[in-house]
Amino acid sequence: MKIKITKKTRRIIAIYLAVLVILYLAAFQIPGMTTLFETTQVLENGTLEVSCEATGYVVKDEAVCTAPATGEISYTTESGTVVKKGTPIVRIEESGEKDKEAAGKYRDYLDRLKNYPLLTEGSDAPISGVFSTEIDGYEKYFSIDNLDKIKKEKTEELSLGKLELDRKSAVKGEPVFKISSDDKWYVVCWLEKGDADKYSEGEEVRLTSGENTLDAKVDSKKKEGEFVKVVLYLNVYYEDFSRAREMEITIVQSNTTGLIVDNECIIKKDGQQGVYVRTKDGDTYFKPIKVKMSNGEQSVIYDSIFVNDKYEQVETVTVYQEVLRHPEEALEEDMKKEAAD
């Protein structure tokens, strides 16, 4: 015996299954599903962290030193060591060979460093900093003096390959080591305007890259085409400092504590930001708020009282109050009542 299922029955079954799936997702707290059916949010105290990810480029003063003579070379210290100006770095046992032109693989890098004040000849550290045996040939471009001229388009076109300098012999004029000054340095990145607006010049932030977390400060922000060039200032040493050039970073603001509210709850009335509070009786009323910080999805707001632009104390929401998630309809009804009065 065949059972005939009508189109209407199939639609009912499909709707039933869809409801079951939604209830299942909500029951297991799948992100975004737990608030799907909620029309209000209960305000609670919490901590919000604002951050964004970017590709950063390290800018620092780096002295590239070339061999003062042709011969056998040996290094007196290990790469990554912090040294003072004048510290002997490399010993050269002159071979007596007639000086010849630097090998081709070094020549390309030296050409990019022409007229660079920190390209020097010698076997001692010309500045204090971190000793290393790697160069990328862009020490001049990524120098502090050139900071304002570093542009997004050009920077992203660069081939930032490393050249290892550690070897047993060198020709006069070939690069043999580098010293990177670590007393002050910068990280340059380009952010979309919305992300750049999260940070203010002079603001202290945390910069994380891999397992490293470093204290930094927003040195400057400048619009560059569709992006904003953000320069971060640092003066701390970390393990990979001497090798760092291009790095994936996360810029983290200091954590801010207060009442946490979802941004979908916030609305403007007569130019004032606020939320609609729902009472136990089901009535709603507008309450002004002041945002301390926002990450685009949630905001930290003041509790009980805040001071407005006119230096007046304003009563605001308190912990455990219930606010509407989508207050547009409440605002519309509010405006109609006020117009009728």
Side-chain angles (χ1 to χ4, degrees):
M1 176 176 131
K2 292 184 179 180
I3 300 175
K4 187 177 180 181
I5 300 176
T6 64
K7 289 184 178 179
K8 183 178 179 181
T9 303
R10 283 199 293 268
R11 282 198 297 270
I12 293 172
I13 293 173
I15 293 170
Y16 176 74
L17 290 174
V19 170
L20 285 178
V21 169
I22 291 173
L23 291 174
Y24 173 82
L25 294 174
F28 285 92
Q29 297 188 344
I30 304 300
M33 295 305 300
T34 54
T35 61
L36 183 63
F37 304 109
E38 294 177 3
T39 58
T40 61
Q41 176 189 2
V42 177
L43 299 179
E44 296 185 54
N45 284 312
T47 301
L48 194 64
E49 180 181 271
V50 172
S51 65
C52 71
E53 297 178 350
T55 299
Y57 297 88
V58 176
V59 176
K60 52 192 173 182
D61 284 336
E62 301 170 286
V64 178
C65 298
T66 61
T70 298
E72 301 296 315
I73 63 175
S74 60
Y75 295 94
T76 62
T77 188
E78 293 184 6
S79 184
T81 303
V82 179
V83 298
K84 292 183 178 180
K85 181 180 179 180
T87 301
I89 301 297
V90 65
R91 292 193 184 95
I92 299 181
E93 237 183 84
E94 295 189 43
S95 62
E97 292 183 27
K98 187 177 180 181
D99 291 335
K100 53 186 177 181
E101 188 177 348
K105 65 177 180 179
Y106 301 115
R107 178 51 52 196
D108 292 340
Y109 288 80
L110 291 170
D111 286 343
R112 294 202 291 265
L113 293 172
K114 278 183 179 177
N115 302 317
Y116 178 41
L118 291 179
L119 177 64
T120 61
E121 184 180 271
S123 55
D124 298 341
I127 60 173
S128 297
V130 185
F131 157 67
S132 66
T133 56
E134 281 187 345
I135 63 172
D136 58 21
Y138 293 105
E139 286 77 11
K140 177 182 176 182
Y141 180 73
F142 288 109
S143 66
I144 293 177
D145 285 344
N146 199 51
L147 188 57
D148 293 337
K149 298 177 183 178
I150 297 173
K151 303 297 181 185
K152 182 177 188 295
E153 186 175 353
K154 180 177 179 180
T155 300
E156 292 178 347
E157 290 176 351
L158 299 179
S159 176
L160 299 174
K162 302 282 187 180
L163 176 65
E164 177 58 55
L165 304 178
D166 189 357
R167 56 199 189 277
K168 294 183 178 180
S169 64
V171 171
K172 177 180 168 63
E174 288 181 347
V176 287
F177 69 91
K178 180 170 76 175
I179 305 293
S180 301
S181 176
D182 63 340
D183 60 343
K184 69 171 184 177
W185 52 288
Y186 299 86
V187 173
V188 176
C189 62
W190 288 268
L191 305 179
E192 293 184 353
K193 186 179 183 303
D195 285 330
D197 287 345
K198 297 174 184 177
Y199 309 97
S200 304
E201 290 186 359
E203 179 181 6
E204 293 184 354
V205 296
R206 284 179 288 122
L207 187 153
T208 64
S209 179
E211 297 180 355
N212 299 298
T213 299
L214 308 170
D215 292 329
K217 184 170 72 173
V218 180
D219 184 75
S220 66
K221 293 167 46 178
K222 186 177 182 181
K223 193 173 184 305
E224 188 178 307
E226 297 179 358
F227 294 87
V228 177
K229 178 181 177 181
V230 178
V231 178
L232 305 170
Y233 168 81
L234 303 94
N235 60 1
V236 292
Y237 168 81
Y238 76 104
E239 187 176 356
D240 294 328
F241 171 75
S242 62
R243 304 180 70 250
R245 180 68 76 205
E246 181 180 0
M247 54 199 299
E248 297 306 312
I249 61 173
T250 301
I251 308 169
V252 184
Q253 277 186 326
S254 299
N255 296 340
T256 301
T257 301
L259 292 182
I260 304 294
V261 62
D262 292 345
N263 285 357
E264 64 184 359
C265 301
I266 301 174
I267 198 166
K268 273 192 176 183
K269 180 182 178 185
D270 299 326
Q272 169 65 55
Q273 277 189 317
V275 293
Y276 271 86
V277 177
R278 189 169 77 175
T279 67
K280 292 180 180 179
D281 297 329
D283 297 327
T284 61
Y285 62 92
F286 180 81
K287 201 72 172 175
I289 63 167
K290 185 175 182 180
V291 174
K292 292 182 181 180
M293 187 178 76
S294 177
N295 66 3
E297 295 180 0
Q298 292 182 307
S299 294
V300 178
I301 60 177
Y302 287 86
D303 182 2
S304 302
I305 292 174
F306 68 83
V307 178
N308 65 15
D309 296 338
K310 297 178 181 179
Y311 301 101
E312 300 168 333
Q313 288 191 338
V314 180
E315 287 189 11
T316 185
V317 290
T318 58
V319 66
Y320 302 133
Q321 282 191 313
E322 195 174 3
V323 299
L324 299 184
R325 284 196 175 278
H326 300 284
E328 293 80 11
E329 189 175 335
L331 175 63
E332 187 177 343
E333 291 296 321
D334 221 356
M335 300 300 283
K336 285 180 181 178
K337 288 179 183 178
E338 291 178 9
D341 294 339

